[in-house]
Amino acid sequence: ATSQSAGSIAGCSSPRERRAGPMRLTKTELNSVPIYNLSSVGKALPLWVHDKKSRAGKARAKLRPADAAGEHVEVIQDLFFPTMCGKAKLSSDGETLLTTGGYPPQLRAFELRELSLKFERHFNAEVVDFQVLSADWKKAVYLLADRSVEFHTQFGKHHTTRIPVHGRCLGYQPETTELLLAGAGPEVYRLSLERGAFLQPLDSGAAGVNAIGVDPTHGMVVLGTADGTVQCWDPRQRSLLGAASPFAAIDAVDGFGGGGPAPAGGLHLGSPERSVTSVRFDPGGLLLAAGTSLGHVALYDVRSSRPVCLKDHKYGLPVHSIKFHQGKCVSADAKIIKIWDHAGAVDASGEPPTFASIQPPADVNGLCAFPDSGLLFAPLEAERLGAYFIPALGPAPKWCHFVDSLTEEMEAAPAAAVYDDYKFVTAEELGSLGLSSLVGTKALRPYMHGFFVDSRLHAKAVSLSQPFAYEQWRKQRVQERLGAKTAGRIAPVKKERPPKVNAALAEEIATRERQAVKEAARKARRSGTA
C-alpha cells in the first residue's frame, strides 16, 4: 500500500474557489483500489516536522486564503468538534448530516447542499446513540449517558424522559411507531410515540443488550446481547423467534474466538469477552450481519442459524459498526474500516475477500455511508471527522460532484516521490557539501542510509561548495541544444588537400593506390564470372 500524509486544511467558500489551482488529496491504495481522504490536512509533511511549522502554515493560510485555497480542499466546512466525534447519521432525504461529539457534548447538523454547518445544539451529558425519526432532520431522539432520552424538533428540545438502566443502543419501529431502548439489563424498553407511554418491555434474558437492529423489509427486530447471542423477535407477537451464537461458528473455524488456543479455564458465553456488539440487516431483509467483541463479523441468512461466512478483522477489537453499501459489507472497529465482498467466493483462508480497508489516524467511533456513492464518513477520536471517497465503490454525491474531477486530475498527474520542502542526501554527499558538522542537530534528520535536509539549506550549500556549477550547467545545456538542432543536417563532404611538401610524389602514390584498387576489383569480377 502507498500513502501520503498532510498538514491542516483551509476552508473554501465555494466549489469554484476549490478548483482554482492545483489541489491534492491524501491518497492510499490497497488491492489497486484508491481511497481519497477528503478530511485530510493540506500539504504533505513528514511526521517529524515540528508543529511550529504547521502552525505557521495555518497562520499564512488565514492571512492569504486565496493562495491557500489552491493547496487545500475541504469537502464540508467546519466538519470538526472540539475534542472528538461520537456518532454520525444521514437524514432519510440525504440533505442533512447529523453528528454528535464533544467536549462539551453537542450536536452539529450540516446542510450538504451548502457544504456548511446548519446549526449546533448542546446536551447535559454525552450522546450514546441517536435516531432520526422523520424524513428530514426536524425530528430526532437522543439517548444520553445519564439515562435520559431527549426528543428534539425543529425549534429544539421537545421532551425528556428516562429509562431505569444506562442505555447502550436504541432503535425505531416505524410500523408500530415504537422506540426501542436497551442497555445494561435484560429488558428492551418499548416507548410508544403514538400513545406517549412505555409499553411492556421485551425480556431478552441476557445480562445486557449491546445492539438493536430493525429489518427495513419485514420489520423483524434483532438484538445483539452481552451473552454472545443474536436474538430475533417478532414485533407483532412480541415473542422470540430464534437465537444463534456466532461464537459457535468461530470456535469451529479456529478453535477459539480470539484467534489462538483457548485458555485453560475456557470462556463461557456469558463472559464480557464474548458478546455481540453490533447487528445490521441488508436492504433486502434476508441477510443479517453480527459483529462480535473479538473482531469477527458473522453473516447470517435469517432462514438459518448457521452463518454463511465469517470475516476476521485481525485486531481482536469489538466491531461496533456494520453497513451494507453498494453491494459490499462495510464493518469497523476502533482501528480499521474493512470493505469486503460478502457475495463473492471465499479466499484461501476461507473468508470473503477484502475489497479495501481504511486505517484512520485516530480510533474509529462509528460509520456513516452516503447512499449510491463512494463516500464514507467515519467519526473519529479526534477533532476532525473522517471523510473518505472510494471511486471504485461509486461516484461522488451531487452536492460534492467536484470531487470526481479532483480525483481524475490526481490520477492523470504523477505524484511527487519526495517531500517538496526537504532533500534527501547520503553521508558522502553531506561531506562534499561541507555539512558534516550538522550531524546530530535538528537541521538534519536521519532516514535510512542518509539524512533529510531543508531544501533551502541544501541549495545554499551547493552554491557555496560549487560556485561555478551554474555556469557549467548553462554551457552544457547550450551544447545539448545546439547538438539537437544540428543532428538532422547533412554533413558536407570534405575534400582532402594535397600536402605542401612533395605534392607531385603524393599525387603519384595516390594514383597508384587508385589503380591497384581498380585492378583488384576487376580480378574479383573475373573470378566470379568464371
Side-chain angles (χ1 to χ4, degrees), residues 168 183-187 203-211 223-231 240 243-248 251 267-278 291-294 300:
R168 297 178 182 174
E187 293 86 4
D203 188 2
S204 65
V209 178
N210 298 326
L223 307 178
T225 68
D227 291 349
T229 59
V230 178
Q231 299 182 2
L240 180 64
S245 173
F247 294 98
D251 292 340
L267 288 175
H268 59 280
L269 291 179
S271 64
E273 289 82 3
R274 299 170 72 97
S275 60
V276 178
T277 53
S278 58
T292 68
S293 58
L294 298 178
Y300 287 92

Side-chain angles (χ1 to χ4, degrees), residues 228-388:
T229 59
V230 178
Q231 299 182 2
C232 297
W233 290 75
D234 185 354
R236 300 167 299 180
Q237 302 295 330
R238 296 177 295 281
S239 60
L240 180 64
L241 298 176
S245 173
F247 294 98
I250 295 172
D251 292 340
V253 172
D254 55 9
F256 173 59
L267 288 175
H268 59 280
L269 291 179
S271 64
E273 289 82 3
R274 299 170 72 97
S275 60
V276 178
T277 53
S278 58
V279 292
R280 173 70 63 171
F281 282 101
D282 77 322
L286 292 180
L287 292 179
L288 169 64
T292 68
S293 58
L294 298 178
H296 295 81
V297 179
L299 186 64
Y300 287 92
D301 189 314
V302 295
R303 297 165 290 188
S304 174
S305 61
R306 299 183 62 182
V308 178
C309 61
L310 290 171
K311 184 66 177 179
D312 188 2
H313 276 217
K314 308 295 184 182
Y315 280 95
L317 299 174
V319 179
H320 52 65
S321 301
I322 302 176
K323 301 287 183 182
F324 287 92
H325 182 64
Q326 296 293 93
K328 302 288 190 297
C329 185
V330 187
S331 54
D333 58 21
K335 293 296 183 184
I336 193 170
I337 301 172
K338 284 202 173 185
I339 306 170
W340 44 283
D341 190 1
H342 62 278
V346 297
D347 55 14
S349 62
E351 295 185 356
T354 300
F355 177 75
S357 62
I358 305 171
Q359 288 186 287
D363 289 349
V364 183
N365 291 330
L367 185 64
C368 179
F370 197 89
D372 302 325
S373 72
L375 183 62
L376 299 176
F377 292 102
L380 305 177
E381 197 72 23
E383 296 180 1
R384 189 170 296 277
L385 187 142
Y388 302 93

